[in-house]
Amino acid sequence: SEYRRKNYIQRKHVDTERKVNVNFVDGPFVEVVENGDYNYYIEFVNKKNDNVEYSLNLKSNHWAKAGKKYFVNWLIKVKGIDNEFYQEYEFNPKNKKFFIVYETKSLGDTLAFFPYVEKFRVDNECQVVVASFHNHLFKDQYPNIEFVEPGVIVNDLYGLYRLGMFYKTENGVRQIDLDKHPHDPKPLPLMKLASDILGLNYVEIKPELKQYGKEKQKRVCIGIHSTAQSKYWNNPNGWQEVTDYLISKGYEVRLLSKEEDGYMGNKNPKGIVQQPQSSLEEIIKVLQESELFIGISSGLSWLSWASGTPTIVVSGFTDIDLEPLNGVERVINKDVCNSCWSNYDFDPGDWYWCPIHKNTDRQFECSKNITSDSVISKINQLIF
């Protein structure tokens, strides 16, 4: 074989107390521990396509690791170069212990990803420990998962995967780190980011949250604020006209966003009831007791969907399938520039990021051109 031609040494039987350690913690790992000094050829093979993703020569009492951090169905081959040892180690998750670590604090990401933590446990018949920044939302609903706080060390692991959107910088250019994602996740549904990292067949799944709400009230909740101006509904009259319409129909309109009125130049509509500072559990209760939630591409929209409340998302920043398709009505204007999140590298440090039309009269046209009538039409379909 090629490795023998390059590395030929007379192979011999070696009587050694050899131990080969293999795990899949942050990528596939192999270590040869023994009371000797020998040479081995290591191959990390992707069983899906039989591709050798990484290979190298390894000395006794050293270790090696392949770069890919996401789920791969690995086969690790350890071949003696100057000895007769040969062994294959197949990835086998059944009854093994895995640690799934959230690298994002985002509420929307947390809700989007969590169903796939449970799906990973069920599909692979394995034990799962998870660390997220919102464990309290899930603990009671997922009794077969062990929860730990971020930063806690978990021992005796067979595998570890990290959930988030990961970038790297090469030659001064920021780009998706494809050692941590099997595909560029930006054009995909947010939930598929997690299913891809964990090696699962994608199907849209809603996370299980507690039922805090009791009777429905004649109330519509709204969430108007976010973390960048491109995510806002930038029609200057949109929120006010929708609020006025709902009030005219006898509805209380409750603003769940915690930002102050005028935050980054964005005024709250008049006539709303401001939700006081509340826990997420209290917000879930309010949502579950409301007839409808109207929001933008932000965590509150994901929380409304997960809470089981009919949800309208007003967004031109994201494409129609980035947020859930079941239980969510999208309002988007496809006749103008739209869906920049999927096609450009978002700059979280630029509040006024608009990759094509910044500083022109077309800036944020994706949402400026979403009319209040189009949102009211969705409202009428859902509650009238």
Side-chain angles (χ1 to χ4, degrees):
S1 68
E2 182 65 23
Y3 89 91
R4 285 195 192 170
R5 284 195 294 272
K6 289 182 178 179
N7 305 287
Y8 180 76
I9 300 174
Q10 181 65 43
R11 297 186 350 150
K12 60 185 178 180
H13 176 72
V14 174
D15 186 12
T16 175
E17 294 182 7
R18 181 190 296 111
K19 182 180 180 182
V20 179
N21 297 319
V22 170
N23 66 56
F24 302 89
V25 176
D26 254 346
F29 168 97
V30 63
E31 175 186 42
V32 181
V33 179
E34 61 187 335
N35 56 341
D37 187 13
Y38 301 101
N39 296 284
Y40 300 87
Y41 183 68
I42 313 297
E43 290 183 311
F44 295 88
V45 182
N46 184 337
K47 289 178 65 179
K48 182 178 180 179
N49 52 21
D50 291 326
N51 185 49
V52 178
E53 301 285 351
Y54 179 52
S55 64
L56 78 161
N57 291 345
L58 186 74
K59 288 183 176 293
S60 303
N61 305 305
H62 289 69
W63 60 267
K65 197 165 191 168
K68 286 183 168 57
K69 310 294 187 186
Y70 55 83
F71 178 96
V72 173
N73 188 12
W74 290 107
L75 171 65
I76 299 176
K77 298 180 180 181
V78 180
K79 310 174 183 181
I81 295 175
D82 54 1
N83 62 87
E84 294 179 339
F85 181 79
Y86 178 79
Q87 188 65 51
E88 295 183 351
Y89 301 87
E90 293 191 61
F91 177 80
N92 179 14
K94 188 172 183 179
N95 298 323
K96 304 297 197 313
K97 185 177 180 180
F98 289 83
F99 192 18
I100 298 178
V101 180
Y102 273 82
E103 299 291 342
T104 171
K105 296 181 180 180
S106 163
L107 176 61
D109 292 353
T110 302
L111 292 162
F113 299 164
F114 205 86
Y116 304 97
V117 176
E118 172 69 354
K119 183 172 170 58
F120 181 87
R121 184 191 70 81
V122 172
D123 286 6
N124 290 292
E125 301 180 58
C126 61
Q127 178 186 354
V128 167
V129 183
V130 67
S132 85
F133 294 88
H134 300 283
N135 287 347
H136 59 102
L137 292 180
F138 308 109
K139 274 185 175 180
D140 292 340
Q141 304 304 103
Y142 294 91
N144 295 312
I145 292 176
E146 180 183 346
F147 290 83
V148 300
E149 292 304 308
V152 169
I153 295 173
V154 179
N155 296 314
D156 302 319
L157 294 175
Y158 186 72
L160 182 151
Y161 301 102
R162 301 182 186 275
L163 298 181
M165 186 169 288
F166 302 102
Y167 291 86
K168 63 181 179 180
T169 300
E170 288 189 356
N171 301 319
V173 178
R174 180 175 179 261
Q175 55 190 289
I176 292 293
D177 187 346
L178 292 177
D179 279 338
K180 297 180 180 179
H181 297 279
H183 318 284
D184 182 350
K186 296 199 303 296
L188 305 175
L190 181 58
M191 292 172 283
K192 195 172 187 301
L193 183 156
S195 68
D196 281 356
I197 289 174
L198 297 175
L200 303 169
N201 292 327
Y202 176 66
V203 58
E204 182 176 305
I205 310 172
K206 183 182 292 186
E208 297 180 19
L209 300 183
K210 272 189 174 180
Q211 181 66 37
Y212 295 99
K214 297 180 181 178
E215 294 183 2
K216 289 285 188 183
Q217 301 181 27
K218 197 169 185 180
R219 177 202 298 140
V220 172
C221 293
I222 62 173
I224 74 168
H225 292 288
S226 193
T227 55
Q229 197 64 45
S230 53
K231 301 181 182 182
Y232 278 70
W233 184 13
N234 285 292
N235 179 337
N237 303 312
W239 284 116
Q240 190 62 61
E241 290 171 352
V242 165
T243 298
D244 291 346
Y245 177 74
L246 288 166
I247 291 173
S248 76
K249 297 293 186 179
Y251 278 83
E252 173 193 297
V253 180
R254 183 171 299 196
L255 176 63
L256 300 184
S257 302
K258 61 184 179 181
E259 291 82 357
E260 71 275 7
D261 189 11
Y263 177 72
M264 296 301 290
N266 297 280
K267 298 290 290 181
N268 295 344
K270 296 177 181 178
I272 54 94
V273 174
Q274 176 70 58
Q275 175 73 15
Q277 192 72 24
S278 305
S279 67
L280 284 177
E281 288 83 356
E282 290 168 331
I283 295 293
I284 293 170
K285 183 177 187 295
V286 170
L287 283 165
Q288 290 173 341
E289 293 177 346
S290 301
E291 293 189 25
L292 179 67
F293 174 82
I294 310 168
I296 53 180
S297 185
S298 72
L300 281 173
S301 294
W302 285 91
L303 188 64
S304 173
W305 165 75
S307 300
T309 302
T311 300
I312 296 173
V313 172
V314 184
S315 178
F317 165 77
T318 53
D319 209 343
I320 56 175
D321 61 352
L322 186 100
E323 284 86 19
L325 298 175
N326 299 316
V328 173
E329 293 289 335
R330 278 298 300 259
V331 185
I332 188 170
N333 187 340
K334 285 287 192 174
D335 294 329
V336 294
C337 185
N338 66 86
S339 307
C340 53
W341 166 258
S342 295
N343 302 306
Y344 295 88
D345 183 23
F346 176 66
D347 181 0
D350 180 2
W351 180 267
Y352 297 103
W353 180 81
C354 182
I356 303 175
H357 303 302
K358 187 176 179 180
N359 297 324
T360 74
D361 57 3
R362 294 184 64 185
Q363 186 167 4
F364 307 134
E365 72 174 16
C366 60
S367 62
K368 282 180 181 176
N369 287 282
I370 296 175
T371 66
S372 56
D373 285 344
S374 61
V375 177
I376 289 169
S377 175
K378 292 289 185 183
I379 293 171
N380 290 339
Q381 292 175 28
L382 292 172
I383 63 174
F384 296 128

